[in-house]
Amino acid sequence: MGSTREGGLVWRGCSASCDAEDGTTGAFDDGNSNPGDKLEGSDAAPDDPVHLKRRVGLFSGVALIVGTMIGSGIFVSPSGLLARTGSVGISFIIWMACGLLSLLGALAYAELGTMNTSSGAEYAYFMDAFGGPPAFLFSWVSTLVLKPSQMAIICLSFAKYAVEPFVAECEPPDSLVKLVAVISIVMILAVNCYSVNLATNVQNIFTAAKLVAIAIIVCGGAYKLILGNTRHLQEPNFASSKATLGNIATAFYTGLWAYDGWNNLNYVTEEIKNPSKNLPLSIIIGIPLVTLCYALVNVSYLAVMSVSEMADSEAVAVTFGNRLLGPMAWLMPLAVTISTFGSANGTLFVAGRLCFAASREGHLLDILSYVHVRRFTPAPGLIFHSLIAVAMVLYGTIDSLIDFFSFTAWIFYGGAMLALIVMRYTKPHAPRPYKVPIIIPYIVLFVSAYLVVAPILDKPQWEYMYAAAFILGGLLVYLPFVKWGYSLPFMDKITVFLQMVLEVVPTSTTFEY
């Protein structure tokens, strides 16, 4: 392809390894690549486009789901869920119902993900079903609030558990916790910017480590049950429940926060090997595994602690370790820090792909769709998410972030179910390698509507109005900058400057200054 010069830039084709739909890979070599560095990838060469590469197999897919779902939630949420229900029986039912709802939602997402194998999850499905405005509103809220807040929550939990052993006599200072959280974000950003392979390897290792931590808790609980310590499990306390319409919905928020991540694999569909097979299979393996782990962990907690002790504890897993493990109690905060770090790694991994997908369609800044010329990672999108997450860490607290995240997220989860239902009628002949019974998206849509509406009816708060206003406020950005195509005059210079600093290029062209 011939070169053309525009504004001092020479645009030309560039090369990358482009993976086929069946998982096979092409290759290139410009003579400057380093064959010993398998994590980095090779340099670009003329006349081939740069793409994200298919490097996520079945094991990595399961690890991404399990690794992002099992994060801080099971170590933070049990106390909050018990406090909101006041009943062991109802809290256990909600834990199981959250697992079932996550599985049903993920199965519906499997149909959407195999029907449209573009990265971006809800963004891609809203584009297909509803067009540009709803898709833009999702990318607007997700890139500025949902994904960064999720990252901030997990990293704050990581920092709290990491600092806990060093300040056993008192609460850790907020400034120290936030500093450690920011450092963890920077470390995870470095891993994900360096290499997709390195990020997935870190995810696989940390997922295995957190399953070992779960096994320690389950074995400890089983030991106590064998000794006959079952009194806290014998009385489900349904009569003493404080459950109301709104309390049950907010209790679901707490439980579903622990399960969040069930849709994360859909954000990286373009990087999954053989997605029509490995996407639904990863879901079917991963989510029931997480649900089983959560059930056994909650039983184990109650074999060691009373309901009131669990409700009062802000670090349930650490309290469990102090009661049962004696001099090895330090294993629990270590295990939790490993778990939350792995979850944060997976969260940032998928968040960068949402920026990439939305920006590629012209819905976000162009630079966010660019890929590193050698490492094939969406570095600008990763950096953008990390900066917002750092700001949220410095400003917010875990409880306030969880409530806002859950309320807003389920608006879009319900929207994805509606998209599936709509496309059953508008695109009846579209290829669907995996197809769910139509009753499943209707069930998840109904529950999503309940989770959004019930807390508002039970206890109206201005925060819900602010969230709705922020979502709709995205239209004030969409109309001038996307619909009417207005562009700020200095953005081209900023884009070129960031391209040179970050060594990134569009996914179909590169430039030479």
Side-chain angles (χ1 to χ4, degrees), residues 184-195 198 348 375 386:
S184 68
I185 291 174
V186 173
M187 292 174 61
I188 293 165
L189 173 63
V191 167
N192 280 268
C193 284
Y194 182 77
S195 165
L198 178 60
L348 184 61
R375 306 184 191 281
S386 298

Side-chain angles (χ1 to χ4, degrees), residues 179-337:
L179 175 62
V180 174
V182 170
I183 292 172
S184 68
I185 291 174
V186 173
M187 292 174 61
I188 293 165
L189 173 63
V191 167
N192 280 268
C193 284
Y194 182 77
S195 165
V196 172
N197 282 350
L198 178 60
T200 55
N201 288 340
V202 167
Q203 192 66 28
N204 295 346
I205 293 168
F206 277 71
T207 298
K210 70 181 65 181
L211 290 177
V212 171
I214 294 287
I216 292 173
I217 294 174
V218 171
C219 290
Y223 171 74
K224 281 291 188 179
L225 291 175
I226 291 171
L227 294 180
N229 195 8
T230 61
R231 62 185 181 277
H232 303 311
L233 294 167
Q234 291 174 347
E235 298 180 6
N237 296 325
F238 289 105
S240 65
S241 172
K242 301 184 294 185
T244 64
L245 183 71
N247 278 351
I248 290 177
T250 54
F252 262 97
Y253 282 169
T254 306
L256 288 167
W257 160 246
Y259 282 96
D260 200 75
W262 52 265
N263 64 328
N264 274 349
L265 199 58
N266 288 67
Y267 284 93
V268 298
T269 315
E270 289 181 32
E271 295 170 81
I272 301 175
K273 300 174 183 176
N274 193 6
S276 62
K277 174 184 176 183
N278 286 336
L279 177 60
L281 197 55
S282 297
I283 290 168
I284 292 169
I285 295 171
I287 296 178
L289 175 61
V290 172
T291 305
L292 177 63
C293 288
Y294 283 1
L296 295 176
V297 165
N298 275 282
V299 171
S300 299
Y301 284 155
L302 289 167
V304 175
M305 291 175 280
S306 67
V307 175
S308 60
E309 288 171 333
M310 278 187 66
D312 293 338
S313 175
E314 293 187 2
V316 180
V318 173
T319 304
F320 177 92
N322 291 337
R323 290 284 180 85
L324 192 65
L325 300 180
M328 301 297 289
W330 57 269
L331 282 174
M332 277 297 98
L334 175 63
V336 177
T337 54

Side-chain angles (χ1 to χ4, degrees), residues 400-430:
S400 62
L401 286 173
I402 287 177
D403 286 341
F404 181 82
F405 171 86
S406 301
F407 169 77
T408 311
W410 278 94
I411 295 174
F412 294 114
Y413 292 155
M417 297 303 106
L418 184 60
L420 190 155
I421 295 168
V422 166
M423 286 191 287
R424 284 287 184 93
Y425 296 99
T426 59
K427 299 183 178 183
H429 303 299

Side-chain angles (χ1 to χ4, degrees), residues 154 158 184 187-188 202 206 336-346:
I154 297 170
F158 164 82
S184 68
M187 292 174 61
I188 293 165
V202 167
F206 277 71
V336 177
T337 54
I338 290 173
S339 177
T340 47
F341 188 89
S343 183
N345 177 73

